[in-house]
Amino acid sequence: MAALVPEVLTSTHVEKMNKKKPPKRYWEETENTDQRRPEEEQGTAVQNQNKSTVKERSLKRKNGESLEKKDPFSGEAPIPHKQLQKFQRGEKYKVPAGARQRLKEAIISSEAMSELAQKQAARYDLLLPEDAGFLEGDEDEDTNTISQDDIADAADITSGSKYFNLHLSQFGPYRLDYGRTGRHLLVGGKKGHVACIDWQSKDLMCEMNVMETVNDVKWLHTEAMFAVAQKRWLYIYDSKGLELHCVKKFNDVLRMQFLPYHFLLATASATGFLQYLDVSVGKEIAAICTKMGRLDVMSQNPHNAVIHLGHPNGTISLWSPNQKEPLVKILCHRGAVRSLTVDKTGTYMVTSGLDRKLKVYDIRAFKPLHSCFLPAGASCLSLSQRGLLSAATGDIVQVYQNVLGSSPVSKPYMAHRLQGQIWGLAYCPFEDVLGIGHGEGFTSMIVPGAGEPNFDALDTNPFRSSKQRQEWEVKALLEKVQPELIGLDPGQLSKVDQASFEQRHKEHVEALGFDPLAKDKFKPKTKKKGRSSAGAIEKRKRKVAHEDQRDKIRQTVQERTERDKEQKEKSNEKKNLGNKSTLDRFRK
């Protein structure tokens, strides 16, 4: 047992660490160098290279040079020109020649910010991969012959569930309105039935009967409030059906439009009045008598918040709450206007009239681009976010593609027949869905390619929570646009007033009554013996300050006295002539 102990100790790892390797003899080194393999040679070469790189790095550290590797693709990635053009914000503003330095700096900084925003939007466009698709038929097959049932069967379960019917034949026909997020639906029957639905989950938020005729329904800034135009007055309810307000100033309302960025509810009445209600403060902003009879055709321009009204004499007028007269009047049809709609860019307007014509207008030039004849005429029109036009003719809905522009209206893209007379059309935002209100209830129709696939979550987020909705509401109220800014050209605010100096100087002189720049300012002479103190100089300046103005006032007073004398003399002559008779001229 005594002989085993040293053997165990020699096998421990501690002794191995402390044990030194014997030095190599010269004959062993020569043998190894001669009998080297090529792999060993490569290994030694790599080791030598690593040693050299370590030496170089240590030298660079001593000299203070950076050890980072150079990027072969330095700078930002280039952006394609087409992508930049997509997000272009108009032409660059040129700095006027006589502008002050502060104005120049403000213009340059605003242009730099807009350019940065354009580049960022073009870069982040890659993060929006969703694209709109359209319905394509087989060879020699028209897409308008494909039924909604076939589309719902061919699509996935979630898309197929977007086609449904609500059979409400007792209280129809129905008006409808979708919320800005596209999640909530509001329907109102002619005979008093009003209901709010979360149509994607099919949850009923509230349902009631107001026991009165309902002319129109409209969501307000959030899905928590909506307005109902009843037979006599305008009522505002919350999402649970509780009556919040009864606005008796707004009577006999037929149609309504809500301006989301101004928090204004615009109403058109049977008495010919266009009224604006500020929802944020509950105050009537404007009441305009159009003097054009019953107003039952109404639409808004989402680009500049101008209201478009259709009239029985075939004209369409454009209105702003700041003026009592229409901004523009256009003669569009030979008969009464039945319906009109404006696209989201504010460039095109589509109208239909009793002359059974469908016309597309360019609002920038106020000229018709093209028109087509519909055999039954279009009673309701609606434009989607992607430019699809739906027209209701009797009990048939026809959807047209590529209508906006110079190309004429071709055959319909889709068609669908309903049971009752159509009374309302509206596209759902961010969804390929068309809502139809008719005499037998409500129908949700699938229209591929109608909705915008990408949404701005800071403005309208379909998936927002109640907390996010409250925060958005506060921010929207803080950023509310004043009604005084509504006009035909919303870009007018960003332009600089280039009135000439002479013109402004003339206006200034007329307002003051004298020219302040006619003479140099009085500079008192310096006097000795302490008479040029600051107080003494100010006293002398005050003595001379208003001399020019006094001279001007004296001249005006003299002119007025002379005019009064002349007027008195003329009046005396008239009186003397009035006392004389016609025979006085024969007297000597």
Side-chain angles (χ1 to χ4, degrees):
M1 291 295 289
L4 290 171
V5 175
E7 291 180 6
V8 173
L9 290 170
T10 54
S11 64
T12 56
H13 68 281
V14 178
E15 193 174 7
K16 281 183 181 177
M17 291 291 291
N18 296 330
K19 190 176 180 182
K20 293 182 180 179
K21 290 182 181 180
K24 286 184 179 182
R25 308 302 181 189
Y26 68 93
W27 60 82
E28 291 176 353
E29 287 178 4
T30 52
E31 285 176 4
N32 289 339
T33 51
D34 295 336
Q35 296 175 356
R36 270 183 192 170
R37 294 178 183 177
E39 295 174 0
E40 292 176 0
E41 289 177 359
Q42 287 179 4
T44 52
V46 169
Q47 287 176 2
N48 293 331
Q49 192 175 359
N50 290 336
K51 286 178 183 177
S52 63
T53 53
V54 169
K55 286 179 181 179
E56 287 175 2
R57 284 182 182 177
S58 61
L59 287 170
K60 283 183 178 179
R61 280 200 193 95
K62 287 178 182 178
N63 296 332
E65 296 178 11
S66 62
L67 300 174
E68 294 180 1
K69 292 183 180 179
K70 289 184 178 179
D71 187 4
F73 305 102
S74 59
E76 294 181 341
I79 307 168
H81 184 64
K82 285 185 179 179
Q83 209 164 351
L84 278 171
Q85 279 185 333
K86 182 181 175 183
F87 297 96
Q88 193 172 3
R89 299 186 172 192
E91 295 180 359
K92 286 189 175 182
Y93 189 81
K94 295 180 181 178
V95 182
R100 295 181 181 177
Q101 185 64 28
R102 194 171 179 182
L103 176 61
K104 287 180 182 178
E105 289 174 359
I107 291 170
I108 290 165
S109 66
S110 65
E111 286 295 333
M113 287 175 69
S114 67
E115 190 176 351
L116 178 65
Q118 178 190 354
K119 286 181 179 178
Q120 284 182 339
R123 281 188 194 284
Y124 299 140
D125 192 36
L126 297 169
L127 302 175
L128 303 174
E130 300 293 336
D131 196 9
F134 289 95
L135 186 66
E136 294 183 3
D138 297 331
E139 292 182 3
D140 301 329
E141 183 185 14
D142 288 336
T143 53
N144 56 9
T145 60
I146 301 171
S147 66
Q148 286 292 306
D149 294 322
D150 295 339
I151 294 171
D153 291 339
D156 58 293
I157 295 170
T158 53
S159 299
S161 64
K162 293 174 184 176
Y163 168 62
F164 61 91
N165 291 292
L166 300 177
H167 298 287
L168 306 166
S169 57
Q170 193 174 357
F171 301 105
Y174 278 83
R175 295 261 188 217
L176 73 145
D177 184 42
Y178 283 102
R180 289 190 67 220
T181 58
R183 191 169 180 84
H184 300 87
L185 171 67
L186 177 65
V187 293
K190 184 79 173 175
K191 296 175 184 175
H193 179 225
V194 179
C196 304
I197 310 162
D198 186 347
W199 70 270
Q200 291 185 358
S201 60
K202 308 297 187 294
D203 290 336
L204 184 66
M205 296 167 67
C206 79
E207 187 178 17
M208 60 183 174
N209 197 318
V210 297
M211 307 299 290
E212 202 175 8
T213 304
V214 172
N215 294 319
D216 201 4
V217 289
K218 187 64 64 176
W219 285 111
L220 299 183
H221 53 284
T222 62
E223 58 271 13
M225 293 169 66
F226 61 90
V228 180
Q230 295 176 206
K231 185 179 179 180
R232 292 189 66 187
W233 298 311
L234 176 69
Y235 289 83
I236 294 174
Y237 299 91
D238 70 349
S239 58
K240 294 180 181 178
L242 296 173
E243 182 185 321
L244 300 177
H245 302 288
C246 172
V247 191
K248 294 187 178 180
K249 279 189 177 181
F250 292 69
N251 58 332
D252 299 326
V253 174
L254 296 178
R255 299 306 301 268
M256 296 186 292
Q257 288 291 329
F258 185 71
L259 310 178
Y261 299 106
H262 304 76
F263 283 77
L264 291 180
L265 180 67
T267 63
S269 66
T271 56
F273 272 85
L274 173 65
Q275 293 171 280
Y276 289 85
L277 175 69
D278 192 336
V279 176
S280 60
V281 294
K283 183 181 175 184
E284 185 186 20
I285 297 299
I288 304 166
C289 182
T290 59
K291 302 175 185 177
M292 293 185 184
R294 182 184 173 90
L295 302 175
D296 58 348
V297 179
M298 185 183 192
S299 181
Q300 68 159 309
N301 188 338
H303 180 61
N304 53 16
V306 170
I307 296 295
H308 295 232
L309 295 176
H311 305 289
N313 58 359
T315 59
I316 287 174
S317 56
L318 279 63
W319 297 86
S320 166
N322 308 315
Q323 293 188 19
K324 298 292 181 182
E325 296 296 324
L327 303 173
V328 178
K329 281 178 76 175
I330 314 167
L331 180 62
C332 296
H333 295 276
R334 293 185 178 180
V337 180
R338 294 187 73 187
S339 182
L340 67 97
T341 182
V342 185
D343 75 320
K344 67 174 184 178
T345 61
T347 309
Y348 301 103
M349 177 177 69
V350 186
T351 64
S352 66
L354 281 177
D355 55 358
R356 291 188 266 179
K357 281 192 175 181
L358 182 75
K359 292 187 177 182
V360 180
Y361 280 81
D362 188 347
I363 300 177
R364 296 168 296 183
F366 301 107
K367 289 183 180 179
L369 297 174
H370 50 81
S371 66
C372 69
F373 181 79
L374 296 177
S379 59
C380 295
L381 296 173
S382 182
L383 275 168
S384 75
Q385 292 176 320
R386 301 286 294 182
L388 293 182
L389 173 69
S390 62
T393 56
D395 60 345
I396 298 172
V397 176
Q398 294 178 335
V399 181
Y400 295 92
Q401 199 176 5
N402 300 325
V403 173
L404 306 178
S406 57
S407 58
V409 178
S410 58
K411 61 183 180 181
Y413 165 61
M414 291 183 74
H416 185 60
R417 186 183 288 274
L418 300 148
Q419 294 179 356
Q421 187 78 15
I422 296 169
W423 215 49
L425 287 176
Y427 279 98
C428 181
F430 312 112
E431 293 286 348
D432 294 342
V433 168
L434 172 65
I436 308 162
H438 49 85
E440 295 297 319
F442 171 80
T443 300
S444 178
M445 176 182 170
I446 300 172
V447 183
E452 183 67 37
N454 302 302
F455 58 88
D456 184 1
L458 296 175
D459 186 26
T460 49
N461 185 4
F463 308 104
R464 68 188 178 190
S465 62
S466 59
K467 185 75 174 176
Q468 287 174 327
R469 179 183 63 78
Q470 291 168 3
E471 289 178 359
W472 171 87
E473 191 172 356
V474 172
K475 289 175 183 176
L477 281 166
L478 292 172
E479 296 170 359
K480 186 180 83 165
V481 183
Q482 294 301 318
E484 290 82 12
L485 305 180
I486 297 175
L488 279 177
D489 186 11
Q492 192 76 28
L493 297 170
S494 61
K495 294 179 181 177
V496 180
D497 185 13
Q498 293 182 344
S500 63
F501 174 77
E502 294 177 358
Q503 185 180 351
R504 280 182 286 170
H505 183 61
K506 277 184 183 178
E507 292 173 358
H508 195 49
V509 168
E510 287 174 4
L512 292 175
F514 67 97
D515 189 359
L517 303 177
K519 290 182 181 179
D520 295 334
K521 289 184 179 180
F522 173 69
K523 292 180 181 179
K525 292 180 181 179
T526 53
K527 294 182 179 181
K528 296 179 180 179
K529 295 182 181 179
R531 287 180 291 175
S532 287
S533 63
I537 289 169
E538 285 298 321
K539 281 181 183 177
R540 275 185 273 160
K541 280 184 181 178
R542 283 174 196 164
K543 287 178 184 177
V544 190
H546 302 289
E547 279 189 2
D548 296 337
Q549 195 172 359
R550 287 169 189 160
D551 294 338
K552 196 75 176 177
I553 291 165
R554 283 173 196 143
Q555 288 179 2
T556 52
V557 169
Q558 285 178 0
E559 288 174 0
R560 283 177 188 172
T561 52
E562 288 174 1
R563 284 176 195 167
D564 293 338
K565 283 180 182 179
E566 289 176 0
Q567 287 178 358
K568 283 180 181 178
E569 288 175 0
K570 286 180 182 178
S571 62
N572 290 330
E573 287 177 2
K574 285 181 181 178
K575 284 179 182 178
N576 293 330
L577 289 170
N579 295 329
K580 290 180 180 179
S581 65
T582 53
L583 297 173
D584 288 340
R585 56 186 165 178
F586 297 108
R587 288 179 182 177
K588 290 182 180 180

